[in-house]
């Protein structure tokens, strides 16, 4: 398994932090998780062709995680229409409750309403609840709490290894189950110690969560500009003896 962080920022784009997104490679399959602003550009910087995507998972429907979703889907559908008539590999898109309505709404907003049904064989949209066993990997979705919106953490398992992606979450039972014994935990690290709010984890909570659930390595992401002068990594380490990595755009991690 290999994971590349495409965007380690949040709502506020900075040159070094695109919006949330990462590219996971498992047994030759390419899996995009979230598509914040700048994710498509980061994929281009990697030399990655959108047509090579196999799966696309959305953690939730907030705009910082979806600014590039429409353009990526339009690009994928256009591969057959404009570039390669033989192109027929479907992209499998998963998300929380309401995924089809969400995608259809995006097409309406961006005046691609007719396009929604065009080349629909190239896009398979499904809600994901619980576990999905595929030939190359297993993925389990967990409901997590995030200011009253439907949000998912995803746990990918293959070859005896576990990668968990938190999405946006506070400390809740869902994230504890998702992170259990993860070899790699890509974690929402929006808030420094003492700055608790109903949307995100604090560094103190991350440290305690990783210790309690037996995480081996945690990668901090979803940074906000205010934290530039805060040593988030040291704050997590105050409660966790495992490996802590400060995420950065285009960082590659292998398992
Ligand atoms: Zn977010
Ligand atoms: Zn959010």
């Amino acid at each position: 398994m290999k994971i590349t962080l495409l965007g380690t920022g949040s709502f506020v784009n900075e040159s070094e932090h695109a919006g949330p997104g990462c590219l996971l490679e498992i047994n030759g399959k390419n899996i995009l998780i979230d598509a914040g602003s700048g994710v498509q550009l980061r994929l281009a910087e990697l030399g990655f062709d959108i047509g090579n995507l196999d799966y696309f998972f959305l953690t939730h429907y907030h705009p910082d995680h979806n600014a590039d979703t429409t353009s990526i889907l339009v690009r994928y559908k256009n591969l057959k229409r404009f570039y390669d008539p033989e192109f027929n590999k479907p992209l499998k898109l998963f998300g929380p409750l309401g995924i089809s309505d969400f995608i259809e709404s995006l097409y309406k907003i961006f005046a691609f309403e007719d396009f929604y049904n065009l080349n629909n064989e190239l896009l398979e949209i499904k809600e994901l609840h619980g576990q999905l066993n595929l030939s190359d990997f297993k993925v389990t979705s967990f409901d997590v709490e995030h200011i009253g919106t439907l949000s998912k953490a995803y746990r990918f398992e293959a070859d005896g290894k576990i990668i968990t992606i938190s999405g946006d979450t506070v400390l809740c039972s869902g994230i504890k189950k998702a992170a259990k014994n993860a070899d790699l935990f890509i974690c929402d690290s929006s808030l420094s110690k003492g700055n608790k709010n109903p949307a995100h984890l604090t560094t103190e909570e991350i440290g305690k969560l990783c210790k309690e659930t037996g995480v081996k390595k945690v990668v901090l992401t979803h940074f906000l500009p205010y934290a530039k002068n805060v040593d988030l990594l040291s704050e997590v380490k105050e409660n966790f003896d495992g490996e802590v990595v400060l995420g950065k755009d285009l960082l590659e991690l292998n398992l």
Side-chain angles (χ1 to χ4, degrees):
M1 289 204 271
K2 180 170 102 173
I3 190 160
T4 305
L5 305 183
L6 299 170
T8 53
S10 54
F11 272 106
V12 186
N13 270 197
E14 302 167 284
S15 56
E16 70 270 37
H17 296 302
C22 49
L23 181 65
L24 181 57
E25 296 171 58
I26 306 178
N27 294 325
K29 293 291 188 290
N30 294 304
I31 304 148
L32 178 65
I33 300 113
D34 285 342
S37 175
V39 160
Q40 196 174 12
L41 179 63
R42 292 288 189 249
L43 287 169
E45 286 172 333
L46 285 176
F48 183 88
D49 188 323
I50 297 286
N52 288 326
L53 281 178
D54 298 288
Y55 298 93
F56 187 3
F57 289 81
L58 297 177
T59 59
H60 64 303
Y61 304 133
H62 280 164
D64 58 325
H65 295 249
N66 288 284
D68 281 3
T69 294
T70 311
S71 56
I72 286 172
L73 294 180
V74 168
R75 166 72 181 146
Y76 194 90
K77 283 189 166 192
N78 272 337
L79 289 171
K80 184 183 184 85
R81 193 181 184 196
F82 294 126
Y83 301 98
D84 180 5
E86 304 296 309
F87 185 81
N88 60 8
K89 176 172 63 68
L91 176 62
K92 297 176 175 66
L93 173 64
F94 294 97
L97 186 71
I99 178 82
S100 292
D101 289 344
F102 174 69
I103 298 300
E104 193 168 0
S105 300
L106 288 177
Y107 281 118
K108 280 182 185 161
I109 289 164
F110 290 108
F112 272 104
E113 200 168 349
D114 293 340
F115 191 73
Y116 180 72
N117 293 316
L118 191 69
N119 290 337
N120 234 11
E121 73 273 19
L122 286 180
L123 187 60
E124 295 175 7
I125 305 176
K126 284 195 181 123
E127 288 173 7
L128 182 55
H129 304 285
Q131 200 174 90
L132 182 67
N133 285 298
L134 301 162
S135 55
D136 296 297
F137 62 92
K138 180 169 94 176
V139 56
T140 313
S141 74
F142 296 85
D143 292 334
V144 292
E145 294 173 22
H146 175 52
I147 44 174
T149 195
L150 294 163
S151 196
K152 294 279 191 188
Y154 292 115
R155 177 183 170 98
F156 294 87
E157 296 177 58
D159 308 323
K161 299 286 186 187
I162 300 163
I163 293 182
T164 294
I165 291 153
S166 71
D168 286 2
T169 184
V170 296
L171 194 60
C172 60
S173 62
I175 196 61
K176 287 182 184 176
K177 288 179 209 159
K180 186 85 181 158
N181 296 324
D183 295 282
L184 199 55
F185 179 35
I186 312 294
C187 186
D188 171 2
S189 309
S190 302
L191 303 174
S192 57
K193 191 167 64 171
N195 284 310
K196 197 168 170 57
N197 80 16
H200 302 284
L201 289 160
T202 68
T203 48
E204 185 179 6
E205 289 170 331
I206 293 167
K208 289 177 179 172
L209 168 68
C210 291
K211 184 177 181 182
E212 181 187 331
T213 56
V215 165
K216 294 183 183 64
K217 183 194 282 196
V218 60
V219 181
L220 311 184
T221 188
H222 204 283
F223 302 125
L224 291 162
Y226 88 93
K228 266 199 169 69
N229 300 317
V230 180
D231 189 351
L232 299 171
L233 191 138
S234 295
E235 289 187 358
V236 172
K237 279 176 177 277
E238 285 173 18
N239 293 291
F240 177 56
D241 293 331
E243 196 174 346
V244 186
V245 175
L246 198 62
K248 63 176 184 177
D249 287 20
L250 299 180
L251 177 70
E252 270 184 29
L253 298 130
N254 290 283
L255 268 183

